[in-house]
Amino acid sequence: MTDAGRVQARRLVKRLAVAVAAAVVLALVAPLGVNAIATHRPVLGLEVAGASRREVWSDSSAVAQKVAARRAGAGIEVGAGGHAERRTLGSLGLVDAAPELHARMLGAGRDGSFWQDAVTQTRAAWGMESVAPPPDRFDGAHLDAALEALAPQVAVAPKDAAVTLEAGTVTVAPDVPGRRLDVPRARQAVIDAVQAGRSSVDLPTAPVPATVPAATLEGAAATVRAAVERPLSLVAGGARVTVPAERVFAALPVTVAGGKASVHPDPAGLAADVDALAGKVDAAPQLRIILADVVVAPGVEGRRLDKVAASAALAAEVKARAGGGGTETLTVPVATLPFAVQQATPGAFTGDQTVHLTFDDGPGAHTEQILDILKAKGVHATFYAVGNRAKDHPDTLRRILAEGHRLGNHSTTHPDLTKLTRAQVEAEIVTTQDTLTQITGLRPTAFRPPYGAVDDVVRQVAAEQHLSVDLWTVDPEDWKQPGAAVVRDRVLAAARPGSVVLLHVLTQGTVDALPGIIDGLRAKGFALD
């Protein structure tokens, strides 16, 4: 190459070098100029995780908010004592990082020395500079409130020891400690887990002791155990009621005050045992009924349990057992109730020398068999019908009359008429009169009060209905089913001229005894009708 050519080549190289240098300077200076003017935006090319460079430069506030919201929505599983639930960091009080992140974005390349900012802006221009979100921080009050809201789900109440009765044995059920959320330690556990990047955290708990430990109850339990293991019976008038162990236990509740257990007797629940004994003891007196100087019904004294004395005795016994004493059997007084003596209305059989067979409580049961025997023996009798049963056996009623027997009224439901109001007595008698008349076409003129119970009101109502009041003089108590032979022998032994024999249509024993009664009375010379 000539000297002229070499000179020209060197000039070209110099021009190219100047151009390159100018381009480099322009590439470096241009971003600096833009960043110096657009101070409300991050430097060109700055990066933030999850957002494009253009997004960061054009709308840095929205990017900061998006990054902060994504972090607040991140979840962590918090749990304790078997309970766990998913919570967001925001719900746990994560501080909003958007303002601080935005400030970091705007300060990058602008908050250092000139050369530091120049380097940062240059790195950003070449895609080599990024901003990290600030470290997670929690609002202490908000985090505590979130943990306090979770605390009831974690908490388990302690269970106090208790004196119990199981399979008849008094034992002490042990106390069981509870648990509660330890909020101060739980707060730090959440912070540590989030800072470590863990997806779950076990919250620490603290034990909650029971108010009443088992040791407190041992002495009282021993007293109750001894009281329950000993039997307790109430005795009165030959009857006995054994108080169940469960009720003895319930009557000796254990209470704790000032850390000391004691037994406080409460016999209120034993009233059922007093009532049970009264049910076995109490009996109403039965009238002594005299008909024409003959004792028709001997009368029986009644008796009544002294419930006040029984309750007082039980209260004293429970109190004694609470103190480690007491007995096993309490004898309770019984009051005697005298029977009343009543002169019976003679009725339709007075003065008659014939023995009269009468049958109560029909029709039904064995009435047809009895009618068959009477027909075969050629004997007539009187049947006192109960109104409610008469409706179900109209044909039997008609047969009674058709075969020459007498039909009488025995009330509608068979109550003790002396315990009813006058209106009720009228209903019992009049209703049956109407029922029997409707079925048979004949209105009865005979009436036998159930149980032989009669007073002035019953007599008055019967008289108004033109009814005789028929009782009896011989009662073999066949309704108790002592056996056919016993019923027969009782009638034959007690029969006298004019006797009225009380029988019932309720049992087969009466049916079996009837032929022997008829034959025996005739053998003794009695006429029957």
Side-chain angles (χ1 to χ4, degrees):
M1 177 182 295
T2 64
D3 292 337
R6 284 196 290 271
V7 170
Q8 188 175 2
R10 283 198 294 269
R11 288 177 179 172
L12 180 60
V13 170
K14 289 180 180 180
R15 289 173 182 169
L16 288 173
V18 170
V20 169
V24 169
V25 170
L26 181 62
L28 294 174
V29 172
L32 295 176
V34 172
N35 292 332
I37 297 171
T39 56
H40 62 290
R41 297 182 181 181
V43 296
L44 283 170
L46 187 67
E47 291 186 345
V48 175
S52 67
R53 297 178 189 175
R54 178 175 296 181
E55 220 179 352
V56 172
W57 191 80
S58 63
D59 196 350
S60 58
S61 177
V63 169
Q65 291 173 4
K66 181 171 70 172
V67 172
R70 183 168 63 245
R71 185 57 181 159
I76 185 170
E77 187 176 82
V78 293
H83 174 80
E85 57 184 70
R86 193 77 175 168
R87 302 294 294 271
T88 64
L89 298 185
S91 70
L92 294 175
L94 184 70
V95 174
D96 184 8
E100 185 176 349
L101 176 59
H102 190 227
R104 286 191 178 197
M105 293 165 65
L106 293 178
R110 295 195 179 98
D111 55 4
S113 66
F114 173 79
W115 293 109
Q116 288 174 331
D117 291 346
V119 171
T120 299
Q121 293 183 23
T122 301
R123 285 171 54 82
W126 290 94
M128 300 171 63
E129 189 68 27
S130 63
V131 174
D136 293 324
R137 292 185 298 107
F138 287 88
D139 179 279
H142 192 146
L143 178 55
D144 283 354
L147 293 174
E148 292 288 358
L150 180 65
Q153 307 299 324
V154 175
V156 174
K159 184 177 180 180
D160 289 341
V163 180
T164 63
L165 180 67
E166 298 178 2
T169 302
V170 175
T171 59
V172 177
D175 57 289
V176 179
R179 69 164 179 261
R180 63 175 178 80
L181 185 66
D182 189 335
V183 174
R185 292 173 57 213
R187 181 198 317 127
Q188 190 59 48
V190 170
I191 294 172
D192 291 345
V194 172
Q195 290 178 347
R198 295 196 298 270
S199 60
S200 64
V201 57
D202 290 326
L203 303 179
T205 60
V208 180
T211 304
V212 181
T216 303
L217 300 179
E218 290 297 345
T223 299
V224 175
R225 186 179 301 113
V228 170
E229 288 176 351
R230 296 175 61 197
L232 175 59
S233 296
L234 291 174
V235 176
R240 176 184 292 267
V241 168
T242 299
V243 181
E246 292 79 7
R247 278 205 282 275
V248 176
F249 175 77
L252 295 168
V254 176
T255 60
V256 178
K260 183 178 179 181
S262 55
V263 182
H264 290 277
D266 180 11
L270 302 178
D273 300 287
V274 175
D275 291 340
L277 183 61
K280 294 184 175 183
V281 171
D282 290 357
Q286 298 180 17
L287 285 172
R288 170 173 285 182
I289 303 174
I290 301 176
L291 173 62
D293 296 327
V294 176
V295 177
V296 176
V300 178
E301 289 182 334
R303 59 183 186 177
R304 179 178 295 119
L305 178 73
D306 189 336
K307 286 189 174 183
V308 174
S311 297
L314 276 174
E317 173 62 20
V318 169
K319 183 176 181 180
R321 291 194 176 206
T327 184
E328 295 184 0
T329 301
L330 300 177
T331 301
V332 182
V334 176
T336 299
L337 305 178
F339 58 76
V341 179
Q342 178 175 287
Q343 294 289 337
T345 302
F349 303 111
T350 302
D352 197 330
Q353 298 300 302
T354 302
V355 174
H356 301 276
L357 299 181
T358 66
F359 296 89
D360 285 7
D361 297 349
H366 304 282
T367 308
E368 293 288 342
Q369 290 176 271
I370 290 171
L371 288 171
D372 291 342
I373 294 171
L374 295 175
K375 183 176 182 181
K377 297 288 187 179
V379 176
H380 292 119
T382 303
F383 291 83
Y384 295 95
V386 176
N388 281 349
R389 296 172 184 167
K391 296 176 183 178
D392 297 328
H393 302 277
D395 292 340
T396 301
L397 291 178
R398 297 186 186 103
R399 179 183 173 185
I400 287 171
L401 292 177
E403 295 183 359
H405 303 290
R406 187 173 181 228
L407 183 62
N409 183 324
H410 198 39
S411 81
T412 301
T413 63
H414 204 277
D416 182 340
L417 297 176
T418 62
K419 296 181 179 180
L420 305 183
T421 64
R422 180 184 177 88
Q424 291 172 324
V425 172
E426 289 178 347
E428 286 286 335
I429 295 175
V430 174
T431 300
T432 299
Q433 283 291 88
D434 293 342
T435 298
L436 299 180
T437 301
Q438 183 179 7
I439 293 173
T440 66
L442 296 175
R443 195 168 188 83
T445 59
F447 168 67
R448 173 169 284 169
Y451 314 108
V454 62
D455 57 15
D456 290 342
V457 172
V458 176
R459 292 190 189 96
Q460 291 171 6
V461 174
E464 290 169 3
Q465 295 299 314
H466 309 291
L467 293 168
S468 62
V469 178
D470 300 349
L471 296 179
W472 58 87
T473 60
V474 178
D475 180 6
E477 296 187 331
D478 59 326
W479 56 275
K480 292 184 179 180
Q481 303 186 63
V486 174
V487 173
R488 178 199 64 207
D489 293 345
R490 287 175 178 176
V491 172
L492 296 180
R496 303 289 184 274
S499 290
V500 179
V501 181
L502 171 63
L503 297 169
H504 299 79
V505 299
L506 302 175
T507 68
Q508 184 63 39
T510 301
V511 176
D512 296 339
L514 185 55
I517 291 173
I518 295 173
D519 293 343
L521 289 173
R522 282 176 169 167
K524 295 180 72 170
F526 293 118
L528 295 167
D529 193 10

